[in-house]
Coordinates of all heavy atoms in Angstrom, one line a residue:
M1 N -8.9 7.8 4.5 CA -7.5 7.7 4.5 C -7.2 6.4 3.7 O -7.9 5.4 3.8 CB -6.9 7.5 5.9 CG -7.3 8.5 6.9 SD -6.3 10.0 6.7 CE -7.2 11.1 7.7
T2 N -6.1 6.4 3.0 CA -5.7 5.2 2.2 C -4.2 5.0 2.4 O -3.5 5.9 2.7 CB -6.0 5.4 0.7 OG1 -5.3 6.5 0.2 CG2 -7.5 5.6 0.5
A3 N -3.9 3.7 2.2 CA -2.5 3.3 2.2 C -2.3 2.2 1.2 O -3.2 1.4 1.0 CB -2.0 2.9 3.6
D4 N -1.1 2.2 0.6 CA -0.8 1.1 -0.3 C -0.4 -0.1 0.6 O 0.3 0.1 1.6 CB 0.3 1.4 -1.2 CG -0.1 2.5 -2.2 OD1 -1.3 2.5 -2.6 OD2 0.7 3.3 -2.6
T5 N -0.8 -1.3 0.2 CA -0.3 -2.5 0.9 C 0.3 -3.4 -0.1 O 0.0 -3.5 -1.3 CB -1.5 -3.2 1.6 OG1 -2.5 -3.6 0.6 CG2 -2.1 -2.3 2.7
V6 N 1.2 -4.2 0.4 CA 1.9 -5.2 -0.4 C 1.7 -6.5 0.2 O 1.9 -6.7 1.4 CB 3.4 -4.9 -0.5 CG1 4.2 -5.9 -1.2 CG2 3.7 -3.5 -1.1
Q7 N 1.3 -7.5 -0.6 CA 1.2 -8.9 -0.1 C 2.6 -9.5 0.0 O 3.2 -9.6 -1.0 CB 0.2 -9.7 -1.0 CG -1.2 -9.2 -0.9 CD -1.8 -9.3 0.4 OE1 -1.5 -10.2 1.2 NE2 -2.7 -8.4 0.7
P8 N 3.0 -9.9 1.2 CA 4.3 -10.5 1.3 C 4.3 -11.9 0.7 O 3.3 -12.6 0.7 CB 4.6 -10.6 2.8 CG 3.2 -10.6 3.4 CD 2.3 -9.9 2.5
E9 N 5.5 -12.3 0.2 CA 5.7 -13.7 -0.2 C 6.2 -14.5 1.0 O 7.2 -14.1 1.6 CB 6.8 -13.8 -1.3 CG 6.3 -13.2 -2.6 CD 7.3 -13.4 -3.7 OE1 8.0 -14.4 -3.7 OE2 7.3 -12.6 -4.6
V10 N 5.5 -15.5 1.4 CA 5.8 -16.3 2.5 C 5.9 -17.8 2.1 O 5.0 -18.3 1.5 CB 4.8 -16.1 3.7 CG1 5.1 -17.0 4.9 CG2 4.7 -14.7 4.0
S11 N 6.9 -18.5 2.5 CA 7.0 -19.9 2.3 C 7.2 -20.7 3.6 O 7.9 -20.2 4.4 CB 8.1 -20.2 1.2 OG 9.3 -19.8 1.8
G12 N 6.6 -21.8 3.7 CA 6.8 -22.6 4.9 C 6.2 -21.9 6.1 O 5.3 -21.2 6.0
D13 N 6.7 -22.3 7.3 CA 6.2 -21.7 8.5 C 6.6 -20.3 8.6 O 7.7 -19.9 8.2 CB 6.8 -22.4 9.7 CG 6.3 -23.9 9.8 OD1 5.1 -24.1 9.4 OD2 7.0 -24.7 10.4
S14 N 5.7 -19.4 9.0 CA 6.0 -18.0 9.1 C 6.2 -17.6 10.6 O 5.5 -18.1 11.4 CB 5.0 -17.2 8.5 OG 3.7 -17.3 9.1
G15 N 7.1 -16.7 10.8 CA 7.3 -16.2 12.2 C 6.7 -14.9 12.3 O 5.9 -14.5 11.5
P16 N 7.2 -14.1 13.2 CA 6.6 -12.7 13.4 C 6.8 -11.9 12.1 O 7.9 -12.0 11.4 CB 7.4 -12.1 14.5 CG 7.9 -13.3 15.3 CD 8.1 -14.4 14.3
L17 N 5.8 -11.2 11.7 CA 5.9 -10.4 10.5 C 5.5 -8.9 10.8 O 4.8 -8.6 11.7 CB 4.8 -10.9 9.5 CG 5.1 -12.3 9.0 CD1 3.9 -12.8 8.3 CD2 6.3 -12.3 8.1
T18 N 6.0 -8.0 10.0 CA 5.7 -6.6 10.1 C 5.2 -6.1 8.8 O 5.6 -6.6 7.7 CB 6.9 -5.8 10.6 OG1 8.0 -5.9 9.6 CG2 7.4 -6.2 11.9
V19 N 4.3 -5.1 8.8 CA 3.9 -4.4 7.6 C 4.1 -3.0 7.9 O 3.8 -2.4 8.9 CB 2.4 -4.7 7.4 CG1 1.8 -3.8 6.3 CG2 2.1 -6.1 7.1
V20 N 4.8 -2.3 6.9 CA 5.1 -0.9 7.0 C 4.1 -0.2 6.0 O 4.1 -0.5 4.9 CB 6.5 -0.6 6.7 CG1 6.8 0.8 6.7 CG2 7.5 -1.4 7.6
A21 N 3.4 0.8 6.6 CA 2.5 1.6 5.8 C 2.9 3.1 6.0 O 3.4 3.5 7.1 CB 1.1 1.4 6.2
T22 N 2.8 3.8 4.9 CA 3.1 5.3 5.0 C 1.8 6.1 4.6 O 1.1 5.6 3.7 CB 4.3 5.7 4.2 OG1 4.0 5.4 2.8 CG2 5.5 5.0 4.6
W23 N 1.6 7.2 5.3 CA 0.5 8.1 4.9 C 1.1 9.5 4.8 O 1.8 9.9 5.7 CB -0.6 8.1 6.0 CG -1.5 6.9 5.9 CD1 -2.6 6.8 5.1 CD2 -1.4 5.7 6.7 NE1 -3.2 5.6 5.4 CE2 -2.5 4.9 6.3 CE3 -0.5 5.2 7.6 CZ2 -2.7 3.7 6.9 CZ3 -0.8 4.0 8.2 CH2 -1.9 3.2 7.8
K24 N 0.8 10.2 3.8 CA 1.2 11.6 3.6 C 0.0 12.4 4.1 O -1.1 12.3 3.5 CB 1.5 11.9 2.2 CG 2.1 13.2 2.0 CD 3.4 13.1 1.2 CE 4.0 14.5 1.1 NZ 5.4 14.5 1.2
V25 N 0.2 13.2 5.1 CA -0.9 13.9 5.7 C -0.7 15.4 5.4 O 0.3 16.0 5.6 CB -0.9 13.7 7.3 CG1 -2.0 14.5 7.9 CG2 -1.1 12.2 7.6
Q26 N -1.8 16.0 4.9 CA -1.8 17.4 4.6 C -1.6 18.3 5.8 O -2.1 18.0 6.9 CB -3.1 17.8 3.9 CG -3.3 17.1 2.5 CD -4.6 17.4 1.9 OE1 -5.5 18.1 2.5 NE2 -4.9 16.9 0.7
P27 N -0.9 19.4 5.7 CA -0.7 20.3 6.8 C -2.1 20.7 7.4 O -3.0 21.0 6.6 CB 0.0 21.5 6.2 CG 0.7 20.9 5.0 CD -0.2 19.8 4.5
G28 N -2.2 20.7 8.7 CA -3.5 21.1 9.3 C -4.4 19.9 9.6 O -5.4 20.0 10.3
K29 N -4.1 18.7 9.0 CA -4.9 17.5 9.1 C -4.3 16.5 10.0 O -4.9 15.4 10.2 CB -5.2 16.9 7.7 CG -5.7 17.8 6.7 CD -7.2 18.0 6.9 CE -7.8 18.8 5.7 NZ -9.2 18.8 5.7
E30 N -3.2 16.9 10.7 CA -2.5 15.9 11.6 C -3.4 15.4 12.7 O -3.4 14.2 13.0 CB -1.3 16.5 12.1 CG -0.2 16.9 11.1 CD -0.4 18.3 10.5 OE1 -1.4 19.0 10.9 OE2 0.4 18.7 9.7
A31 N -4.2 16.3 13.4 CA -5.0 15.8 14.5 C -6.1 14.8 14.0 O -6.3 13.8 14.7 CB -5.6 17.0 15.2
A32 N -6.7 15.1 12.9 CA -7.7 14.2 12.3 C -7.1 12.8 12.0 O -7.6 11.8 12.3 CB -8.3 14.8 11.1
F33 N -5.9 12.9 11.4 CA -5.2 11.6 11.1 C -4.9 10.8 12.4 O -5.1 9.6 12.4 CB -3.9 11.9 10.3 CG -3.1 10.6 10.1 CD1 -3.4 9.7 9.1 CD2 -2.1 10.3 11.0 CE1 -2.8 8.5 8.9 CE2 -1.4 9.1 10.8 CZ -1.7 8.2 9.8
E34 N -4.3 11.5 13.4 CA -4.0 10.9 14.6 C -5.2 10.2 15.3 O -5.1 9.1 15.7 CB -3.4 11.9 15.6 CG -2.0 12.4 15.2 CD -0.8 11.7 15.7 OE1 -1.0 10.8 16.6 OE2 0.3 12.0 15.2
E35 N -6.3 10.9 15.3 CA -7.6 10.3 15.8 C -8.0 9.1 15.0 O -8.3 8.0 15.5 CB -8.7 11.3 15.8 CG -10.0 10.8 16.4 CD -11.1 11.9 16.4 OE1 -10.7 13.1 16.4 OE2 -12.2 11.5 16.5
W36 N -8.0 9.2 13.7 CA -8.4 8.1 12.8 C -7.4 6.9 13.0 O -7.9 5.8 13.1 CB -8.3 8.6 11.3 CG -8.4 7.5 10.4 CD1 -9.6 6.9 9.9 CD2 -7.4 6.8 9.7 NE1 -9.3 5.9 9.0 CE2 -8.0 5.8 8.9 CE3 -6.0 6.8 9.7 CZ2 -7.2 4.9 8.1 CZ3 -5.3 6.0 8.9 CH2 -5.9 5.0 8.1
H37 N -6.1 7.2 13.1 CA -5.2 6.1 13.3 C -5.3 5.4 14.6 O -5.1 4.2 14.7 CB -3.7 6.6 13.1 CG -2.8 5.5 13.1 ND1 -2.1 5.1 14.2 CD2 -2.5 4.6 12.1 CE1 -1.4 4.0 13.9 NE2 -1.6 3.7 12.7
R38 N -5.7 6.1 15.7 CA -5.9 5.5 17.0 C -7.0 4.5 16.8 O -7.0 3.4 17.4 CB -6.2 6.5 18.0 CG -5.0 7.2 18.6 CD -5.3 8.0 19.9 NE -6.2 9.2 19.6 CZ -5.8 10.3 19.1 NH1 -4.5 10.5 18.9 NH2 -6.6 11.3 18.9
G39 N -8.1 4.8 16.1 CA -9.2 3.9 15.9 C -8.8 2.7 15.1 O -9.1 1.5 15.4
L40 N -8.0 2.9 14.0 CA -7.5 1.8 13.2 C -6.6 0.9 14.0 O -6.8 -0.4 14.0 CB -6.7 2.3 12.0 CG -6.0 1.3 11.1 CD1 -7.0 0.5 10.3 CD2 -5.0 2.0 10.2
S41 N -5.7 1.4 14.8 CA -4.8 0.6 15.6 C -5.6 -0.1 16.7 O -5.3 -1.3 17.0 CB -3.8 1.5 16.3 OG -3.0 2.1 15.3
A42 N -6.6 0.5 17.3 CA -7.4 -0.2 18.3 C -8.1 -1.4 17.7 O -8.2 -2.5 18.3 CB -8.4 0.7 18.9
A43 N -8.6 -1.3 16.4 CA -9.2 -2.4 15.7 C -8.2 -3.5 15.5 O -8.6 -4.7 15.7 CB -9.8 -1.9 14.4
A44 N -7.0 -3.2 15.1 CA -6.0 -4.2 14.9 C -5.7 -5.0 16.1 O -5.4 -6.2 16.1 CB -4.7 -3.6 14.3
T45 N -5.7 -4.4 17.3 CA -5.4 -5.1 18.5 C -6.4 -6.2 18.9 O -6.0 -7.1 19.6 CB -5.3 -4.1 19.8 OG1 -6.6 -3.6 20.0 CG2 -4.3 -3.0 19.5
R46 N -7.6 -6.1 18.3 CA -8.6 -7.1 18.6 C -8.4 -8.4 17.8 O -9.1 -9.3 18.0 CB -10.0 -6.5 18.4 CG -10.3 -5.4 19.5 CD -11.7 -5.0 19.4 NE -12.0 -4.2 18.2 CZ -11.9 -2.9 18.1 NH1 -11.4 -2.2 19.1 NH2 -12.2 -2.3 17.0
F47 N -7.5 -8.4 16.8 CA -7.3 -9.5 16.0 C -6.2 -10.5 16.6 O -5.2 -10.0 17.2 CB -6.8 -9.1 14.6 CG -8.0 -8.7 13.7 CD1 -8.7 -7.5 13.9 CD2 -8.4 -9.6 12.7 CE1 -9.8 -7.2 13.2 CE2 -9.5 -9.2 11.9 CZ -10.2 -8.1 12.2
P48 N -6.5 -11.8 16.5 CA -5.5 -12.8 17.0 C -4.1 -12.5 16.4 O -4.0 -12.2 15.2 CB -6.1 -14.1 16.5 CG -7.5 -13.9 16.3 CD -7.6 -12.4 15.8
G49 N -3.1 -12.7 17.3 CA -1.7 -12.6 16.8 C -1.2 -11.2 16.7 O 0.0 -11.1 16.4
H50 N -1.9 -10.2 17.1 CA -1.4 -8.9 17.0 C -0.3 -8.7 18.1 O -0.5 -9.0 19.2 CB -2.6 -7.9 17.3 CG -2.2 -6.5 17.2 ND1 -1.8 -5.8 18.4 CD2 -2.0 -5.6 16.2 CE1 -1.5 -4.5 18.0 NE2 -1.6 -4.4 16.7
L51 N 0.8 -8.2 17.6 CA 2.0 -8.0 18.5 C 2.3 -6.5 18.8 O 3.1 -6.2 19.6 CB 3.2 -8.6 17.9 CG 3.1 -10.2 17.8 CD1 4.4 -10.7 17.1 CD2 2.9 -10.8 19.1
G52 N 1.6 -5.6 18.1 CA 1.9 -4.2 18.4 C 1.9 -3.3 17.1 O 1.9 -3.8 16.0
V53 N 1.8 -2.0 17.4 CA 1.8 -1.0 16.4 C 2.8 0.1 16.8 O 2.8 0.5 18.0 CB 0.5 -0.3 16.2 CG1 0.5 0.8 15.2 CG2 -0.6 -1.3 15.7
S54 N 3.7 0.5 15.9 CA 4.6 1.6 16.1 C 4.3 2.7 15.1 O 4.0 2.4 14.0 CB 6.0 1.2 16.0 OG 6.3 0.2 16.9
V55 N 4.3 4.0 15.6 CA 4.1 5.1 14.7 C 5.3 6.0 14.8 O 5.8 6.4 15.8 CB 2.9 5.9 15.2 CG1 2.6 7.1 14.3 CG2 1.6 5.0 15.2
M56 N 5.8 6.4 13.6 CA 6.9 7.3 13.5 C 6.3 8.6 12.8 O 5.8 8.6 11.7 CB 8.0 6.8 12.6 CG 8.7 5.6 13.3 SD 10.2 5.0 12.5 CE 9.6 4.4 11.0
R57 N 6.2 9.6 13.6 CA 5.6 10.9 13.2 C 6.6 11.7 12.4 O 7.8 11.6 12.6 CB 5.1 11.7 14.4 CG 3.9 11.0 15.0 CD 3.5 11.5 16.4 NE 2.3 10.9 16.9 CZ 2.3 9.7 17.4 NH1 3.5 9.0 17.6 NH2 1.2 9.1 17.9
P58 N 6.1 12.5 11.5 CA 7.1 13.4 10.7 C 8.0 14.2 11.6 O 7.5 14.8 12.6 CB 6.1 14.3 9.9 CG 4.8 13.6 9.9 CD 4.7 12.8 11.2
S59 N 9.2 14.2 11.3 CA 10.2 15.1 12.0 C 10.4 16.4 11.4 O 11.0 17.3 11.9 CB 11.5 14.3 12.2 OG 12.0 14.1 10.9
H60 N 9.9 16.6 10.2 CA 10.0 17.8 9.5 C 8.8 18.0 8.5 O 7.8 17.3 8.7 CB 11.3 17.9 8.7 CG 11.6 16.8 7.8 ND1 11.2 15.5 8.1 CD2 12.4 16.7 6.7 CE1 11.7 14.7 7.1 NE2 12.4 15.4 6.3
A61 N 8.8 18.8 7.6 CA 7.7 19.3 6.8 C 7.2 18.2 5.8 O 6.4 18.6 5.0 CB 8.0 20.6 6.2
T62 N 7.6 17.0 5.9 CA 7.2 16.0 4.8 C 5.7 15.6 5.0 O 5.1 15.3 4.0 CB 8.0 14.8 4.9 OG1 7.8 14.1 6.1 CG2 9.5 15.0 4.7
G63 N 5.3 15.6 6.2 CA 3.9 15.2 6.5 C 3.7 13.7 6.4 O 2.6 13.2 6.4
E64 N 4.8 12.9 6.3 CA 4.7 11.5 6.1 C 4.8 10.7 7.4 O 5.8 10.8 8.1 CB 5.8 11.0 5.1 CG 5.6 9.5 4.7 CD 6.6 9.1 3.6 OE1 6.2 9.2 2.5 OE2 7.7 8.7 4.0
Y65 N 3.8 10.0 7.7 CA 3.7 9.1 8.9 C 4.1 7.7 8.4 O 3.7 7.3 7.4 CB 2.3 9.1 9.5 CG 1.9 10.3 10.3 CD1 1.6 11.5 9.7 CD2 1.8 10.2 11.7 CE1 1.2 12.6 10.4 CE2 1.4 11.3 12.4 CZ 1.1 12.5 11.8 OH 0.7 13.5 12.5
V66 N 4.9 7.1 9.2 CA 5.3 5.7 9.0 C 4.7 4.8 10.1 O 4.9 5.1 11.3 CB 6.8 5.5 8.9 CG1 7.1 4.0 8.7 CG2 7.4 6.3 7.8
V67 N 3.9 3.8 9.8 CA 3.3 3.0 10.8 C 3.6 1.6 10.5 O 3.6 1.1 9.4 CB 1.7 3.2 10.7 CG1 1.0 2.3 11.7 CG2 1.3 4.6 10.8
I68 N 4.0 0.9 11.6 CA 4.5 -0.5 11.5 C 3.5 -1.4 12.4 O 3.3 -1.2 13.6 CB 5.9 -0.7 12.1 CG1 6.8 0.2 11.3 CG2 6.3 -2.1 12.0 CD1 8.2 0.4 11.9
F69 N 2.8 -2.3 11.7 CA 1.9 -3.2 12.4 C 2.7 -4.6 12.5 O 3.3 -5.0 11.5 CB 0.7 -3.5 11.5 CG -0.3 -2.3 11.5 CD1 -0.2 -1.3 10.5 CD2 -1.3 -2.2 12.4 CE1 -1.0 -0.2 10.5 CE2 -2.1 -1.1 12.4 CZ -2.0 -0.1 11.4
K70 N 2.6 -5.3 13.6 CA 3.3 -6.5 13.8 C 2.3 -7.6 14.2 O 1.4 -7.4 15.0 CB 4.3 -6.4 15.0 CG 5.3 -5.3 14.7 CD 6.2 -5.1 15.9 CE 7.0 -3.8 15.7 NZ 7.5 -3.3 16.9
F71 N 2.4 -8.8 13.6 CA 1.6 -10.0 13.8 C 2.5 -11.2 14.0 O 3.6 -11.2 13.4 CB 0.6 -10.2 12.7 CG -0.6 -9.3 12.8 CD1 -0.5 -8.0 12.3 CD2 -1.7 -9.6 13.5 CE1 -1.6 -7.1 12.4 CE2 -2.8 -8.8 13.6 CZ -2.8 -7.5 13.0
D72 N 2.0 -12.2 14.7 CA 2.8 -13.3 15.0 C 3.0 -14.3 13.9 O 4.0 -15.0 13.8 CB 2.3 -14.1 16.3 CG 0.9 -14.6 16.1 OD1 0.2 -14.3 15.1 OD2 0.5 -15.4 17.0
T73 N 2.0 -14.4 13.0 CA 2.1 -15.3 11.8 C 1.5 -14.7 10.6 O 0.7 -13.7 10.7 CB 1.3 -16.6 12.1 OG1 -0.1 -16.3 12.2 CG2 1.8 -17.4 13.3
Y74 N 1.8 -15.2 9.4 CA 1.3 -14.7 8.2 C -0.3 -14.9 8.2 O -1.0 -14.0 7.7 CB 1.9 -15.4 7.0 CG 1.2 -15.0 5.7 CD1 1.4 -13.7 5.2 CD2 0.3 -15.8 5.1 CE1 0.7 -13.3 4.0 CE2 -0.4 -15.4 3.9 CZ -0.1 -14.1 3.4 OH -0.8 -13.7 2.3
E75 N -0.7 -16.0 8.7 CA -2.2 -16.2 8.7 C -2.9 -15.2 9.5 O -4.0 -14.7 9.1 CB -2.5 -17.6 9.3 CG -2.0 -18.8 8.4 CD -0.5 -19.0 8.4 OE1 0.2 -18.6 9.4 OE2 0.0 -19.6 7.4
H76 N -2.4 -14.8 10.7 CA -3.0 -13.7 11.5 C -2.9 -12.4 10.8 O -3.9 -11.6 10.8 CB -2.4 -13.7 12.9 CG -2.9 -14.8 13.7 ND1 -2.1 -15.4 14.7 CD2 -4.0 -15.5 13.8 CE1 -2.7 -16.4 15.3 NE2 -3.9 -16.5 14.7
L77 N -1.8 -12.1 10.2 CA -1.6 -10.9 9.4 C -2.6 -10.8 8.3 O -3.3 -9.8 8.1 CB -0.2 -10.7 8.9 CG 0.0 -9.6 7.9 CD1 -0.3 -8.2 8.5 CD2 1.4 -9.7 7.3
A78 N -2.7 -11.9 7.5 CA -3.7 -12.0 6.4 C -5.1 -11.8 6.9 O -5.9 -11.1 6.2 CB -3.5 -13.3 5.7
A79 N -5.5 -12.3 8.0 CA -6.8 -12.2 8.6 C -7.1 -10.7 8.8 O -8.2 -10.2 8.5 CB -7.0 -13.0 9.8
W80 N -6.1 -10.0 9.4 CA -6.3 -8.5 9.6 C -6.3 -7.8 8.2 O -7.2 -7.0 8.0 CB -5.2 -8.0 10.5 CG -5.1 -6.5 10.4 CD1 -4.0 -5.8 9.9 CD2 -6.0 -5.5 10.8 NE1 -4.2 -4.5 10.0 CE2 -5.4 -4.2 10.6 CE3 -7.3 -5.6 11.4 CZ2 -6.1 -3.1 10.9 CZ3 -7.9 -4.4 11.7 CH2 -7.3 -3.1 11.4
Q81 N -5.4 -8.1 7.4 CA -5.3 -7.4 6.1 C -6.5 -7.6 5.2 O -6.9 -6.6 4.5 CB -4.1 -7.9 5.3 CG -2.7 -7.6 5.8 CD -2.3 -6.2 5.5 OE1 -2.5 -5.2 6.2 NE2 -1.6 -6.1 4.3
N82 N -7.2 -8.7 5.3 CA -8.3 -9.0 4.5 C -9.7 -8.8 5.2 O -10.7 -9.1 4.7 CB -8.2 -10.5 4.0 CG -7.0 -10.7 3.1 OD1 -6.7 -9.8 2.3 ND2 -6.3 -11.8 3.3
S83 N -9.6 -8.3 6.4 CA -10.8 -8.1 7.2 C -11.7 -7.0 6.7 O -11.2 -5.9 6.2 CB -10.5 -7.9 8.7 OG -10.0 -6.6 8.9
A84 N -13.0 -7.1 6.9 CA -14.0 -6.1 6.6 C -13.8 -4.9 7.5 O -13.9 -3.7 7.0 CB -15.4 -6.6 6.7
E85 N -13.4 -5.1 8.7 CA -13.2 -4.0 9.7 C -12.0 -3.1 9.2 O -12.1 -1.9 9.2 CB -12.9 -4.6 11.0 CG -12.8 -3.5 12.1 CD -12.8 -4.1 13.5 OE1 -12.8 -5.3 13.7 OE2 -12.8 -3.3 14.4
R86 N -10.9 -3.7 8.8 CA -9.8 -2.9 8.2 C -10.2 -2.1 7.0 O -9.9 -1.0 6.8 CB -8.6 -3.8 7.9 CG -7.4 -3.1 7.3 CD -6.2 -4.0 7.1 NE -5.2 -3.3 6.4 CZ -5.1 -3.3 5.0 NH1 -6.0 -3.9 4.3 NH2 -4.1 -2.6 4.5
R87 N -10.9 -2.8 6.1 CA -11.4 -2.2 4.9 C -12.2 -1.0 5.2 O -12.1 0.1 4.6 CB -12.2 -3.2 4.0 CG -11.8 -3.2 2.6 CD -12.5 -4.3 1.8 NE -13.4 -5.3 2.4 CZ -13.0 -6.5 2.8 NH1 -11.8 -6.9 2.7 NH2 -13.9 -7.3 3.4
E88 N -13.1 -1.1 6.2 CA -14.0 0.0 6.5 C -13.1 1.2 7.0 O -13.4 2.4 6.7 CB -15.0 -0.4 7.6 CG -16.1 -1.3 7.1 CD -17.0 -1.8 8.2 OE1 -17.0 -1.2 9.3 OE2 -17.6 -2.9 7.9
W89 N -12.1 0.9 7.9 CA -11.3 2.0 8.4 C -10.5 2.7 7.2 O -10.4 3.9 7.2 CB -10.3 1.5 9.4 CG -10.9 1.4 10.8 CD1 -11.3 0.3 11.4 CD2 -11.1 2.5 11.6 NE1 -11.8 0.6 12.6 CE2 -11.7 1.9 12.8 CE3 -10.9 3.9 11.6 CZ2 -12.1 2.7 13.9 CZ3 -11.3 4.6 12.7 CH2 -11.9 4.1 13.8
L90 N -10.0 1.9 6.3 CA -9.3 2.5 5.2 C -10.2 3.3 4.2 O -9.7 4.2 3.5 CB -8.5 1.4 4.4 CG -7.4 0.8 5.2 CD1 -6.7 -0.3 4.4 CD2 -6.4 1.8 5.7
L91 N -11.4 3.0 4.2 CA -12.4 3.8 3.3 C -12.9 5.0 4.0 O -13.6 5.8 3.4 CB -13.5 2.9 2.8 CG -13.1 1.7 1.9 CD1 -14.3 0.8 1.6 CD2 -12.4 2.2 0.6
D92 N -12.7 5.1 5.3 CA -13.2 6.2 6.1 C -12.6 7.5 5.6 O -11.6 7.7 5.3 CB -12.8 6.0 7.5 CG -13.5 7.0 8.5 OD1 -14.4 7.7 8.0 OD2 -13.1 7.0 9.6

């Protein structure tokens, strides 16, 4: 599974941050995606500053999932974004 990520521009002290990722899932692959995403989300919860994950499932035939990851500071978000663990999940 892959997702595009954007590095945010942050100046000064950073407060809570969110990252929005989208995945287009092929019909019939939803269960596999859901299982994979549960693992990815569980990995994120083990990182300092993790504030939660929200998933918006497709409401119609688009197959597009929207996932929102929340962290308390840019530094904690960057630690997750740049982690080997996250990279391994995205290459899975």
